[in-house]
Amino acid sequence: MKKIVFFALFALFAVSCGGGSGDSFNAEKSPYGDPTVTSVSAINVGMLTNERKLHILERSGTSEFSGKVLDVIDIKINDSSEAEMLFSPFPVTKETKKITFGGYTSKSGEGIKPKEAVEVDLPKLGETTEGSGEFTVKLPGMPVEVDVPLDWTLKLEEEDVSVNTPSGSYLGLRHYTGSGKISEGTLGDFLGSTEFTGDVYFSPVLGVPIQFKLNGVNFEGDLESVWDFGDPDETGYRVMKKSGIVNSENPSFELSTHDLKGNFDADPNQHAKMLLEIRYLDENAAKNDPQPEINVEFGTVMGYFPSQLVESPVSIFFPEENEGFRYFIAYVDQAAKGHNGPISYRISVTGGESVKPLRVTARIYYNKVE
């Protein structure tokens, strides 16, 4: 049976049609890839007694603060910009050695703002970094903002670890722990504590925290999905990619070149190379359950390309996952030759009510002409 699975997977990749750019990028077998400044994250966040809400984090530009140029992160809730954060670099990559925080401010006036930009050296495994700073803080329920002196520590406890979240298990993570202490002021009276501890599980692959929790203010969150559509003004062969979930609350998943700018700007005469990978969220199901009964479609706005899911014992997108999971993969290398004018290419997945929650990851490599 294993030989049949390996042969089917090899054959699926080998028989894909010719066509494309001749670029060295391997659209069939390359992993998810490093995050870029166009990466967008959807994170479920809750603080104090507030219910969790989905926060969309997207870089919108740069701004200077206390003599440093920082990335501006726009934070949307319910499709509306609700807050702004100054933070660099965004996203954080495997090579990042230092991060800089310039403040978080919501439209309602809540937030935390340092007097000067705060630089934090990311520690090596087993090591601890520490620092201090002066902040102006206004939390939900506080009548006025207060000045807060804060001392903190940050330690890299573990590397290459896993964590379970409502969106499934993630592997290959870095586990940081931190602590903070308010030396004086009124914030401790409001919160009932002057010392805080927290945990962050960070993905070097996706460049964002997968799960975090700050005790004392009940500030916590976990990643729901992430996508990277690339520079919207770039033409030529390019990559767009997305990873998310399909469950009862999110019954469908789609990645479309039309999402980039709301335009039909893909070349119909050059092949689009489209890769889809599916895995059950639950680790036990990911190891033992058969292929899910779902609807998978590769196509354009007017039609579809034939495809077939095949089982693989390894992940193409996330090769760091070596836990005996079963993956279900489909690959299409096709064009809509003869179509009059630019088109869009898409990958869609729809699950029924009886399907267990799935992690769905997709990539489209195509020629953008406008």
Side-chain angles (χ1 to χ4, degrees):
M1 180 62 184
K2 288 185 178 179
K3 290 183 179 179
I4 294 176
V5 170
F6 276 115
F7 176 78
L9 185 61
F10 174 80
L12 179 66
F13 289 159
V15 301
S16 58
C17 300
S21 67
D23 191 280
S24 60
F25 177 71
N26 190 330
E28 300 171 79
K29 299 179 181 180
S30 292
Y32 191 81
D34 292 334
T36 74
V37 293
T38 63
S39 292
V40 183
S41 305
I43 302 176
N44 284 300
V45 181
M47 184 168 66
L48 296 176
T49 59
N50 293 345
E51 63 176 334
R52 284 190 170 211
K53 294 182 179 180
L54 191 65
H55 290 55
I56 308 297
L57 279 65
E58 180 176 11
R59 182 183 181 275
S60 60
T62 60
S63 179
E64 185 173 339
F65 175 68
S66 70
K68 301 183 182 300
V69 177
L70 303 179
D71 293 313
V72 178
I73 314 304
D74 182 45
I75 302 174
K76 296 180 180 179
I77 303 174
N78 297 326
D79 295 324
S80 176
S81 295
E82 296 294 337
E84 183 178 278
M85 179 169 62
L86 297 182
F87 182 93
S88 284
F90 182 87
V92 177
T93 68
K94 295 188 288 288
E95 290 75 28
T96 300
K97 300 293 190 296
K98 178 184 295 185
I99 58 176
T100 306
F101 176 70
Y104 168 92
T105 306
S106 71
K107 285 191 173 180
S108 59
E110 298 161 351
I112 174 170
K113 295 173 288 186
K115 303 292 185 182
E116 296 182 355
V118 175
E119 294 185 334
V120 179
D121 292 318
L122 295 180
K124 297 180 180 180
L125 181 63
E127 295 182 355
T128 300
T129 59
E130 57 185 34
S132 61
E134 298 282 337
F135 298 83
T136 299
V137 177
K138 188 176 186 299
L139 300 179
M142 290 180 60
V144 296
E145 62 182 22
V146 296
D147 291 334
V148 177
L150 179 67
D151 302 312
W152 72 84
T153 65
L154 181 66
K155 182 179 181 180
L156 178 55
E157 297 280 357
E158 304 170 279
E159 285 190 310
D160 196 25
V161 298
S162 63
V163 66
N164 292 315
T165 78
S167 298
S169 59
Y170 290 85
L171 294 86
L173 308 181
R174 295 173 180 172
H175 176 205
Y176 293 93
T177 59
S179 64
K181 183 177 181 180
I182 302 171
S183 55
E184 58 183 61
T186 60
L187 185 60
D189 297 333
F190 175 79
L191 296 174
S193 175
T194 59
E195 296 189 20
F196 312 93
T197 59
D199 291 83
V200 176
Y201 289 87
F202 170 78
S203 170
V205 174
L206 300 178
V208 293
I210 299 300
Q211 188 177 75
F212 59 87
K213 184 174 184 180
L214 179 61
N215 302 308
V217 293
N218 296 324
F219 179 55
E220 58 185 7
D222 51 75
L223 183 71
E224 180 172 293
S225 60
V226 62
W227 57 95
D228 193 334
F229 293 166
D231 183 350
D233 298 321
E234 178 186 44
T235 56
Y237 268 84
R238 63 195 312 284
V239 169
M240 65 187 316
K241 54 194 178 183
K242 182 178 182 180
S243 186
I245 60 173
V246 169
N247 57 17
S248 58
E249 291 78 28
N250 303 284
S252 63
F253 169 100
E254 182 171 276
L255 176 64
S256 170
T257 60
H258 186 267
D259 295 337
L260 180 65
K261 295 184 71 174
N263 294 337
F264 298 105
D265 53 18
D267 187 347
N269 296 309
Q270 295 293 329
H271 282 221
K273 302 173 187 292
M274 297 178 277
L275 177 64
L276 173 69
E277 179 178 285
I278 296 170
R279 196 205 85 187
Y280 286 102
L281 293 185
D282 178 77
E283 289 195 7
N284 184 63
K287 293 179 179 179
N288 300 298
D289 282 19
Q291 179 175 310
E293 295 182 2
I294 54 177
N295 181 53
V296 172
E297 195 168 284
F298 292 76
T300 68
V301 68
M302 297 297 293
Y304 68 94
F305 303 121
S307 65
Q308 181 181 2
L309 285 173
V310 296
E311 183 181 329
S312 170
V314 294
S315 169
I316 294 177
F317 283 119
F318 307 106
E320 66 276 6
E321 296 185 359
N322 186 20
E323 297 292 326
F325 296 148
R326 303 167 74 178
Y327 301 87
F328 305 96
I329 297 171
Y331 177 71
V332 166
D333 184 349
Q334 288 284 2
K337 293 184 178 181
H339 182 87
N340 185 23
I343 60 170
S344 65
Y345 292 103
R346 61 182 173 84
I347 304 172
S348 63
V349 176
T350 304
E353 293 183 359
S354 61
V355 176
K356 293 180 180 180
L358 304 169
R359 185 189 72 188
V360 181
T361 307
R363 175 171 63 216
I364 302 177
Y365 181 61
Y366 70 106
N367 185 32
K368 181 175 178 290
V369 294
E370 292 184 0

